[in-house]
């Protein structure tokens, strides 16, 4: 799908990858609607792009509806909904006890995607055209040993994308799941990764990621990877699942 003249909603676009994609998509001629829980970020990015934005919490279904209504009132029917917002949280080795953290991860990484699909799919199906793009993580193909809630919900996000693609592709709906590796964003720094760590040296910038996403959307690729890490994880699981689990066990600090 070409981005020119398409109406695109990007969640989590007040900073990081979302903001970089908002700028890059706008450069391609898309009509971008900015939304994020960070009101200052929404104001800044929307002003820069001369577009509209709304600061909301998309873990609430009413907020997703409000963003969609803003997009439709301003530009018309939504062509692409990019569910990009996410939260990693600090490493908490083996922590299964924090119900609030589990609920936040579930609402943000799974239910916000469900709410978006409920909101925009009916009109897309009527037109026989539309695009649902979701950000999961390379963790969805592997795991994060110190973040069980993050790992489990990112797997669920990928599974939901798979279900959407299998269910609606024949009816004209394009679906992509973006599973990025480490990126130079505040989320990575919040993990306490030192600036001289090898991960930082090889991590992509948000701008590089945005370029890759434009290319992937153009060819309507389902699984979007930005490094060999994701493919390596898939290959390792398919080749020797037991060994993959053993390798993951060696990395945990629990």
């Amino acid at each position: 799908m070409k981005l020119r003249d398409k109406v695109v909603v990007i969640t989590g676009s007040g900073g990081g990858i979302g903001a970089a994609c908002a700028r890059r998509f706008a450069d391609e001629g898309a009509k971008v609607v900015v939304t994020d829980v960070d009101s200052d970020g929404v104001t800044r990015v929307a002003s820069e792009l001369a577009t509209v934005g709304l600061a909301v919490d998309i873990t609430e279904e009413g907020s997703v509806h409000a963003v969609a209504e803003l997009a439709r009132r301003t530009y018309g029917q939504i062509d692409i909904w990019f569910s990009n917002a996410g939260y990693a949280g600090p490493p908490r080795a083996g922590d299964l006890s924090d119900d609030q953290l589990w609920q936040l991860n579930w609402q943000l990484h799974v239910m916000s995607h469900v709410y978006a699909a409920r909101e925009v799919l009916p009109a897309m199906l009527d037109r026989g055209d539309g695009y649902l793009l979701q950000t999961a993580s390379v963790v969805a193909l592997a795991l994060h040993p110190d973040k069980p809630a993050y790992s489990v919900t990112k797997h669920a996000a990928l599974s939901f994308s798979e279900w959407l693609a299998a269910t609606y592709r024949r009816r004209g709906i394009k679906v992509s799941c973006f599973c990025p590796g480490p990126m130079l964003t505040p989320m990575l720094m919040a993990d306490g990764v030192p600036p001289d760590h090898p991960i930082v040296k090889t991590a992509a910038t948000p701008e590089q990621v945005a370029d890759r996403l434009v290319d992937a959307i153009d060819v309507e690729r389902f699984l979007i990877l930005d490094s060999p890490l994701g493919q390596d994880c898939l290959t390792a699981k398919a080749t020797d699942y037991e060994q993959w689990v053993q390798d993951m066990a060696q990395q945990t600090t629990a």
Side-chain angles (χ1 to χ4, degrees):
M1 178 180 283
K2 300 295 184 184
L3 288 166
R4 178 162 298 281
D5 296 325
K6 296 297 188 295
V7 178
V8 184
V9 174
I10 306 178
T11 70
S13 49
I17 302 169
C21 287
R23 297 184 185 102
R24 184 68 176 81
F25 290 12
D27 287 344
E28 290 291 310
K31 302 168 184 175
V32 177
V33 176
V34 179
T35 185
D36 199 297
V37 72
D38 175 9
S39 59
D40 290 340
V42 169
T43 299
R44 181 177 62 255
V45 177
S47 176
E48 177 186 338
L49 300 181
T51 188
V52 295
L54 189 63
V56 295
D57 179 357
I58 58 159
T59 66
E60 300 172 359
E61 189 165 12
S63 295
V64 172
H65 177 70
V67 173
E69 282 293 284
L70 174 64
R72 288 188 283 253
R73 286 197 310 269
T74 307
Y75 296 121
Q77 290 291 354
I78 297 164
D79 297 295
I80 302 174
W81 188 289
F82 183 7
S83 294
N84 169 71
Y87 172 75
R92 303 176 67 164
D95 188 357
L96 301 176
S97 62
D98 190 338
D99 288 349
Q100 186 174 5
L101 180 64
W102 277 87
Q103 187 63 28
L104 172 60
N105 275 266
W106 178 256
Q107 287 297 122
L108 186 56
H109 299 149
V110 183
M111 293 311 299
S112 69
H113 301 344
V114 174
Y115 298 152
R118 286 177 184 169
E119 182 65 38
V120 300
L121 257 176
M124 289 179 175
L125 290 169
D126 284 345
R127 301 194 307 271
D129 190 27
Y131 210 126
L132 297 171
L133 168 60
Q134 287 114 13
T135 296
S137 167
V138 72
V139 169
L141 305 171
L143 57 82
H144 194 307
D146 298 331
K147 295 182 178 180
Y150 184 79
S151 291
V152 170
T153 55
K154 287 300 186 179
H155 276 77
L158 173 58
S159 182
F160 183 56
S161 295
E162 292 171 343
W163 180 84
L164 286 170
T167 304
Y168 295 112
R169 177 174 287 183
R170 288 184 298 173
R171 298 181 63 183
I173 307 304
K174 293 81 175 171
V175 179
S176 293
C177 190
F178 177 40
C179 293
M183 288 174 287
L184 293 173
T185 64
M187 187 179 290
L188 178 63
M189 299 301 105
D191 270 353
V193 179
D196 59 347
H197 193 282
I199 286 179
V200 176
K201 294 179 180 179
T202 59
T205 67
E207 290 72 25
Q208 290 171 324
V209 169
D211 287 341
R212 292 166 186 165
L213 282 171
V214 168
D215 292 341
I217 291 169
D218 186 52
V219 298
E220 300 172 4
R221 182 178 302 124
F222 172 73
L223 182 61
I224 305 173
L225 304 172
D226 69 344
S227 75
L229 182 58
Q231 188 59 54
D232 289 347
C233 289
L234 284 174
T235 301
K237 281 185 175 182
T239 303
D240 191 338
Y241 213 147
E242 292 297 325
Q243 185 59 51
W244 177 82
V245 172
Q246 180 62 27
D247 292 343
M248 292 296 101
Q250 298 302 317
Q251 298 179 28
T252 185
T253 59

